């Protein structure tokens, strides 16, 4: 809960400042933040120092208000005494920026992860829901180095052993792929880190996350974070795991299936839905077979069109399975329609009455929904990373891996707190809106 300083709040109208939109958001947010697992001050030898609880709250303020650096946070706190009171600072004594940097480099990241897991579990208890579908993905976090600056003409993006001097933990790895003006595919590499996250597709919040050097393979990290997922959450209702082609690894999927099997009510129903792009599927036609081609292969259904304007008759089109499925195998009879020209393959047609065509159309629509639904669900993790980038820049301002880990962990924790606070305020439709969840 918030530590409002009543000694200073007597000098201004409490209700007036509390009803301001940003102050109301922070006040409701801090009521759901339990920092009892963190030591508040130094006790014993040495100076007592600033309140660590107040500084952690201030870092969450930095995320909610979308401040991009610690010095801007210090200026913001100095200009807003009411928010200083909400955070719990004594008599508006705001720490210097170096104190925040020191805190980020000394915080226990595992305690932040445990706090996020407790926040998410509290959400499930309050909403009486469970985890049924998750998505896994990763997002780059760039190191603050001139090697990542496109205006620096001597930057090193090829030699992974020549590391930046002030970023010893940063590594060189894949960043993105784009098409240049000539149509050529360009792969970009950067120095930095990568945050790997498992998202609940229903709530749109991170369940487990870890930030590691950018050159580590995604499928190896996935094994570790699914282990953390099993420890911290009830996965008895889990059915689907979504991901992109980076996680299309049979050994990884078998390992995760064996790992989660004791926690699932129906382990045989666990399904991995892993594709690079759900929208660009080859076709929406169901797998209907029934006509043999001249090479004795079962031809694939490839379309349904009306024969006349009245719609009393329809024509089903069947096409060579090698051409439809783009199989890497030769035609048994080397048919010229497949081996020459446009390689379209041979085709055959069947005429159907309207009632039978209606059944085929129902199969097509059902198959279309099955193909598009994973794509809509998979987009949720991209939206989550978009919100995450809005509250914490993709370009880090910290020079050690531990500081970057704590910085990213606090950003994930902020979005989980937003979801829990919106639910307790009776606004379940605002659980993904960090701007208006308390409006």
């Amino acid at each position: 809960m918030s530590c409002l300083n009543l000694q200073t709040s007597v000098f201004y109208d409490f209700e007036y400042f509390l009803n301001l939109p940003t102050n109301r958001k922070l006040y409701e947010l801090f009521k759901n933040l339990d920092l009892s697992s963190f030591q508040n001050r130094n006790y014993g030898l040495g100076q007592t120092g600033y309140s660590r609880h107040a500084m952690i709250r201030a870092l969450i303020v930095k995320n909610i208000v979308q401040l991009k650096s610690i010095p801007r946070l210090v200026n913001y706190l100095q200009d807003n005494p009411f928010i200083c009171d909400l955070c719990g600072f004594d008599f508006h004594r705001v720490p210097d920026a170096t104190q925040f940097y020191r805190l980020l480099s000394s915080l226990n990241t595992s305690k932040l992860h445990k706090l996020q897991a407790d926040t998410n579990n509290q959400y499930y208890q309050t909403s009486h829901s469970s985890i049924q579908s998750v998505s896994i993905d990763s997002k780059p976090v760039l190191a603050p180095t001139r090697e990542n600056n496109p205006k620096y003409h001597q930057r090193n993006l090829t030699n992974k052993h020549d590391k930046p001097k002030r970023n010893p933990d940063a590594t060189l790895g894949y960043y993105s792929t784009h098409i240049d003006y000539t149509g050529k595919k360009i792969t970009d590499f950067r120095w930095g880190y990568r945050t790997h996250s498992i998202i609940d597709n229903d709530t749109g919040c991170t369940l487990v996350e870890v930030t590691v050097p950018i050159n580590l393979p995604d499928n190896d990290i996935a094994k570790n974070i699914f282990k953390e997922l099993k420890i911290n959450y009830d996965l008895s209702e889990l059915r689907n795991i979504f991901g992109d082609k980076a996680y299309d690894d049979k050994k990884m999927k078998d390992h995760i299936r064996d790992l989660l099997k004791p926690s699932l009510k129906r382990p045989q129903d666990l399904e991995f839905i892993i594709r690079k792009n759900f929208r660009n599927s080859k076709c929406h036609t169901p797998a209907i077979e029934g006509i043999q081609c001249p090479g004795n292969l079962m031809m694939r259904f490839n379309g349904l069109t009306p024969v006349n304007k009245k719609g009393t008759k329809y024509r089903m089109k069947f096409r060579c399975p090698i051409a439809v499925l783009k199989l890497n195998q030769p035609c048994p009879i080397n048919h010229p329609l497949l081996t020459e020209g446009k390689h379209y393959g041979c085709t055959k047609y069947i005429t159907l009455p309207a009632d039978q065509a209606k059944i085929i159309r129902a199969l097509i629509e059902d198959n279309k929904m099955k193909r598009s639904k994973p794509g809509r669900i998979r987009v949720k993790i991209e939206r989550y990373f978009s919100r995450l980038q809005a509250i914490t820049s993709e370009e880090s301002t910290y020079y050690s891996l531990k500081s970057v880990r704590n910085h990213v962990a606090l950003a994930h924790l902020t979005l989980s707190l937003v979801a829990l606070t919106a639910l307790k305020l009776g606004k379940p439709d605002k659980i993904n809106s960090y701007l208006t969840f308390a409006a």
Side-chain angles (χ1 to χ4, degrees), residues 147 155-162 172 189 191:
E147 309 297 340
R155 59 179 181 162
N156 169 35
L157 297 178
T158 56
N159 186 3
K160 64 181 180 181
H161 301 292
D162 186 13
L172 182 64
F189 293 87
W191 290 92

Side-chain angles (χ1 to χ4, degrees), residues 7 9 21 38 53 70 114 174 178 195 210 231 248 302 321 343 361 377 394 416 423:
Q7 292 180 335
S9 63
F38 296 89
H53 291 182
I70 295 295
K114 185 65 170 62
Y174 169 79
H178 67 276
T195 175
V210 63
I231 294 174
D248 191 10
N302 194 238
H343 310 286
R361 284 195 177 278
I377 294 176
E394 189 176 87
S416 294
L423 182 68

